[in-house]
Amino acid sequence: MLKTSQSPHIVIVEDNVEANNLLRDWLRLRFAVTCFLDAESTLRILLPSREQVVFLIDYNMPGDNGIVLKQKLEPLFPEAKYILISGLFDDKLTQEAKTAGFDALIPKPFGMPTITQKIEELLGLNQKESLVDIVKRQSGQIMVQMI
């Protein structure tokens, strides 16, 4: 099942361009995706919404870190779910993120299916066909069309 106009919206805030692009390309197979490279542009461009949205936020970014960004986003997106990603998780950061109310914490490096599974879990989606299966099926269709 590919994304539709009713697809949940995923907002990626990750300052590493390669990681941002990889997440975008993977998640676009199933969701509507918007990407930002920093907290400032996220806050400046996104309009407040009650739509079904999941924020995938990196902790360590220029300007506001991921925890500060979440605190600024919450009043604007009261129905949102928040996932913090970081390569820096230790006991202190884990506790700080839990106190800030993140719905999930995912340490880097991670596999793309891990992100998808967590998003689907937070959104209450009962996905029968995994994103990996969708990619395999689409790749097969492309190969058939080329022959």
Side-chain angles (χ1 to χ4, degrees), residues 26 112-123 125:
W26 175 260
M112 291 300 149
T114 301
I115 291 291
T116 305
Q117 180 180 3
K118 185 51 69 178
I119 290 170
E120 289 173 349
E121 179 184 307
L122 290 174
L123 293 173
L125 300 176

Side-chain angles (χ1 to χ4, degrees), residues 1-4 29-30 126-129 131 134 137:
M1 180 167 47
L2 295 176
K3 69 181 181 178
T4 66
L29 295 170
R30 173 110 162 81
N126 187 6
Q127 181 65 14
K128 293 181 180 172
E129 184 178 29
L131 197 50
I134 292 170
R137 181 173 41 77

Side-chain angles (χ1 to χ4, degrees), residues 60-71:
N60 193 22
M61 299 182 291
D64 290 339
N65 68 42
I67 292 174
V68 172
L69 175 58
K70 179 191 180 291
Q71 292 167 341

Side-chain angles (χ1 to χ4, degrees), residues 23-105:
L23 285 163
R24 177 201 64 213
D25 292 346
W26 175 260
L27 293 172
R28 272 191 181 163
L29 295 170
R30 173 110 162 81
F31 305 103
V33 178
T34 303
C35 299
F36 296 97
L37 295 171
D38 58 46
E40 180 185 340
S41 60
T42 305
L43 292 165
R44 186 179 67 247
I45 296 170
L46 281 183
L47 298 174
S49 173
R50 289 192 167 278
E51 76 174 286
Q52 193 174 37
V53 61
V54 174
F55 284 92
L56 187 59
I57 304 173
D58 184 31
Y59 173 72
N60 193 22
M61 299 182 291
D64 290 339
N65 68 42
I67 292 174
V68 172
L69 175 58
K70 179 191 180 291
Q71 292 167 341
K72 291 179 178 181
L73 288 169
E74 280 180 308
L76 306 173
F77 298 88
E79 306 299 321
K81 301 290 184 184
Y82 297 88
I83 299 172
L84 185 66
I85 57 175
S86 179
L88 306 172
F89 281 115
D90 58 13
D91 291 341
K92 182 180 181 218
L93 178 55
T94 299
Q95 186 56 47
E96 189 178 346
K98 286 181 179 179
T99 300
F102 276 88
D103 298 290
L105 311 177

